[in-house]
Amino acid sequence: MNYRYSDLSVEQLLNLVAEFKEKAQKAEQLGNISEVEIYERKMQLALAYTLNPGDFRPGSTYEFRHDPGHRFKINYLEGVFAWGHRINLLDEVYEKEEAIPISLLGKKLEQ
């Protein structure tokens, strides 16, 4: 199937996420961890297209949904990707700028 996530409806995206989740569970049962990680990334990317990038603000810091040891400060948004820097529990900002799907971001933190 050849498609772009941006062309799909929210319902289609959620169906795709369910399909990826099922495939990830099967891969996990077979012990294929790298395949599990691939499907988890696909799920996060598809979920990002169900969100509104306008709900995320450059200059703001957000929790990571699945990584309580880090926060993420957005420099700018490009589509459904937030570009910025990770911040650890010691308030150390990682030097490397990275792009992550907005679906990985949790609630906005007070500055």
Side-chain angles (χ1 to χ4, degrees), residues 86-99:
R86 286 180 195 250
I87 303 167
N88 67 19
L89 290 173
L90 302 173
D91 281 334
E92 296 169 332
V93 178
Y94 288 39
E95 188 177 324
K96 184 179 177 215
E97 184 179 56
E98 63 180 306

Side-chain angles (χ1 to χ4, degrees), residues 11 15 19-20 33 35-36 45-46 55 58 61 64 67-68 71 87 90 95 98 102 104-106 108:
E11 183 180 351
N15 288 336
E19 182 183 316
F20 292 150
I33 301 306
E35 194 174 329
V36 172
L45 189 54
D55 292 341
T61 303
F64 264 107
D67 184 0
R71 300 178 315 268
I87 303 167
L90 302 173
E95 188 177 324
E98 63 180 306
I102 57 176
L104 291 178
L105 299 175
K108 182 178 170 186

Side-chain angles (χ1 to χ4, degrees), residues 39-55:
Y39 285 117
E40 285 176 352
R41 284 190 186 99
K42 287 184 174 197
M43 280 189 285
Q44 288 304 325
L45 189 54
L47 284 170
Y49 280 92
T50 68
L51 301 173
N52 178 3
D55 292 341

Side-chain angles (χ1 to χ4, degrees), residues 23-74:
K23 288 181 178 182
Q25 288 170 340
K26 285 180 184 174
E28 190 172 31
Q29 289 169 352
L30 296 172
N32 191 343
I33 301 306
S34 61
E35 194 174 329
V36 172
E37 291 173 356
I38 289 169
Y39 285 117
E40 285 176 352
R41 284 190 186 99
K42 287 184 174 197
M43 280 189 285
Q44 288 304 325
L45 189 54
L47 284 170
Y49 280 92
T50 68
L51 301 173
N52 178 3
D55 292 341
F56 299 87
R57 297 277 174 243
S60 295
T61 303
Y62 294 82
E63 292 179 342
F64 264 107
R65 284 197 189 278
H66 305 292
D67 184 0
H70 290 94
R71 300 178 315 268
F72 193 82
K73 183 170 184 178
I74 298 176

